Amino acid sequence: MQQQSVPTPVTGSSTLPPAKGTGDDHRPPPEAGARPRRRPPLPGLASLPLFLGVGLWVYALPRIGFRTMGEYGLLDRLPVVFFVALLVLTGGFLLALRRAGTSPWWPAAYCAAMLFALKAPPAVLYDSVRYPWASKHDAVVDALLANGELRPYAALSGNMSAYDQWPGFFGLNAALVRAFGVESAAVYLNWAPVLLGLLLMPVLVLLYRTFTEDWRLVWAGVWIFQLANWVGQDYLAPQGFAYILHLTVLAVVLRHFVLPGSAGRLRDRTFLDPAAAAVPPPTGRRQRAVCVLILAPLIVAINASHQLTPVMLCVSLFALLFTRRYRNYGLLAVAGALMLAWDLTMGRPLFTETLGTLRESLGELTRNSRAGYAGRLTGPGPELAGQANVLMVLAIAALAAVAVLARRRLARSALPLLLVSAAPLPLFAVNDYGGEMLFRVYLFGLPGAAFFAAAALVPAAGAARGASARARAVRRRLAAVALPVTLVVLAAGFLPSYYGKETMNYTPPAETALVTRAVDRAPEGSLILAATGSFPKALHRYDRLEHWFFAEQELPENERMLADPARHLADGIPPGTRAYVILTRTQDVYTAGEGLLPPGGFATLRSELAASPLFTVVEEHPYGVVLEYRSPAR
């Protein structure tokens, strides 16, 4: 940390002038013959693209053909005016960014509008719950309200026992359902991505302002984070809720846990990147102890809501020990103790089960970093979504790497943010988390990656003063293109990443009604069979019924199962058990898109079971079929 200051090269690309508070208050006079610096746009102009973009988006909404989605999900059902609205909002954001130092609320308004434009269409349009598997969270809230108690040690099928072992998020939603007097959490479930995104914005701003005084860099980081947050973990689920609490804890730690005498030259403005903020003031032991007491309830809430996020928090706090500024062992000890206390009490069944699987998963980097628990993406839409996912990750990583290498002084001062972003990577060597570890590591590393990606695109104020006129002219040309082009490319990558598999995510109400009738008719203790659990109301009445999702396994096993599916299922049904098979359109789309069944496999499954004397059709509908097993004992 005691290296000599070196000039910071211009990285990236923007025509943006230095914002107020970037640390460069002494600009050199313009040279003779140099082009006059363009003045920022008038404040009133910043609002025009905002209202125009929102108006175009509203005009596009009723023209989105979500009921007729095909192989490309929602992508080829979005009208041209929808894309124009996104372009207008992006252009308006770039204009507002030029005055971010004096008018930071305009970039904030554009960030909120873009979040709404990208993630609100399903909430506004859909007549059913987006993400069929999200309906199980609604089922947990319903069960909690109906039973009025938690049963963490009850053996529930469908991997549902964990929800009673980590009930914090569901208890909160049960209270909200009661407080607002709505029928269930499904009423507001589709709005979760928008609400959680809005709540996350001030947390990101607080995090980024810890390391930069340049409002342009702050809002560019928030904007990039939103475009790169395609992971789909912000629906109504414990992960999205715990994620906000996790980042809030880190923001408080990074601002209020600085050890006295640890900053060194990082408090010297001449040593810092022009956009960097000085290290926050140091705090004494008593102040840090008070902060630990304040943060303890948040950490308890994280532990009560989600299994993985406490682990991510602990590894992030551990990574901060590698810096002199945040070598605080007390908070890490408290976070680790709270995590272990919960895991060994309320979460003990799943915790011990997970420990038992570590021998198989430990060190299996290839398997632990796979996307999904079985199969490969198939079909134009899912394949395009998978490719876009990879390209988005590579693009963000490449931009962040450019900033780390080219703006070394900023990387030194923001080293803690870099460390907490890289901290989750070793978890690839531990477990696959049901095929989702790849997405979770990316999600937890994204805040820091977005900040450094923005640093690669928003140039440091006053950098490269000694450069020749020709070099400055080249940089101006690059600056006029790189930031807007990159933001447009990232927006283009977000759409297939987030909506390319939308055919799996939207369920017609008639299918939901079919499943609800079938599950409601099943006597208590019955067994519900389905190809996969990714269909609406799959776990409705989960505390009264048993479940077997028989196709959630590797493709070769499913191919053997299709040789005689009726016999395969009959052999797996315990004697004397009432059993019902529910096969729906959403299962068909999901098993095909995720590569669980071969082409035409679901149609074969449906026809074979309907023709088998072992099963009788109870109800048949274009969206699905319900069959009852004819037990020999009956």
Side-chain angles (χ1 to χ4, degrees), residues 246-301:
H246 165 83
L247 291 182
T248 301
V249 171
L250 290 181
V252 173
V253 170
L254 293 172
R255 294 183 73 89
H256 299 289
F257 279 74
V258 178
L259 294 177
S262 62
R265 284 197 290 176
L266 291 178
R267 296 193 188 281
D268 183 356
R269 171 55 62 188
T270 61
F271 180 75
L272 296 175
D273 182 280
V279 176
T283 53
R285 184 173 299 176
R286 181 176 297 179
Q287 291 172 293
R288 294 195 299 275
V290 171
C291 285
V292 170
L293 292 177
I294 294 173
L295 291 178
L298 293 182
I299 298 174
V300 170

Side-chain angles (χ1 to χ4, degrees), residues 568-586:
H568 176 83
L569 298 186
D571 289 344
I573 298 173
T577 301
R578 295 284 295 271
Y580 300 85
V581 181
I582 302 176
L583 301 176
T584 67
R585 164 206 163 274
T586 304

Side-chain angles (χ1 to χ4, degrees), residues 10 14-20 22 24-41 98 216 459-465 472 475-476 479:
V10 173
S14 171
T15 56
L16 306 173
K20 182 180 179 181
T22 59
D24 182 42
D25 298 324
H26 307 286
R27 298 174 185 154
E31 298 179 2
R35 292 184 181 180
R37 183 183 296 272
R38 293 183 180 181
R39 299 185 65 183
R98 300 178 69 181
R216 304 169 307 156
R465 292 176 184 171
R472 287 197 298 272
R475 289 193 180 98
R476 279 198 300 268

